[in-house]
């Protein structure tokens, strides 16, 4: 499950995505599965998590994206 989230964020890079859209796209059963993983991912090199606009649903939310630089 965690690798799917990492993969999804990587595929979308550099576009940001919110936890809700990650849950929907991956068909996860519980939203906290996404938020736990995105918080952990944010601590990894190349991933950032902050308030922004989700490129998938267009809402202003906490989003995560992969920094390609
Ligand atoms: Zn979204």
């Amino acid at each position: 499950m965690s690798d799917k989230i990492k993969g999804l964020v990587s595929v979308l890079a550099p576009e940001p995505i919110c936890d809700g859209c990650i849950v929907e796209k991956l068909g996860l059963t519980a939203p906290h599965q996404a938020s736990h993983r995105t918080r952990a991912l944010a601590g990894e090199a190349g991933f950032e998590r902050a308030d922004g606009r989700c490129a998938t649903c267009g809402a202003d939310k906490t989003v995560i994206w992969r920094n390609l630089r």
Side-chain angles (χ1 to χ4, degrees), residues 27-59:
L28 303 180
T29 51
H32 73 260
Q33 291 179 323
S35 60
H36 278 198
R37 183 55 183 152
T38 54
R39 280 196 197 96
L41 262 185
E44 292 187 17
F47 290 90
E48 306 211 31
R49 190 174 190 266
D51 289 342
R53 176 159 293 177
C54 174
T56 299
C57 68

Side-chain angles (χ1 to χ4, degrees), residues 1-57:
M1 186 279 288
S2 58
D3 286 339
K4 280 190 187 173
I5 292 178
K6 189 172 187 175
L8 176 61
V9 175
S10 297
V11 164
L12 293 171
E15 299 290 343
I17 187 169
C18 69
D19 291 350
C21 286
I22 290 173
V23 168
E24 201 168 297
K25 280 185 171 284
L26 295 182
L28 303 180
T29 51
H32 73 260
Q33 291 179 323
S35 60
H36 278 198
R37 183 55 183 152
T38 54
R39 280 196 197 96
L41 262 185
E44 292 187 17
F47 290 90
E48 306 211 31
R49 190 174 190 266
D51 289 342
R53 176 159 293 177
C54 174
T56 299
C57 68

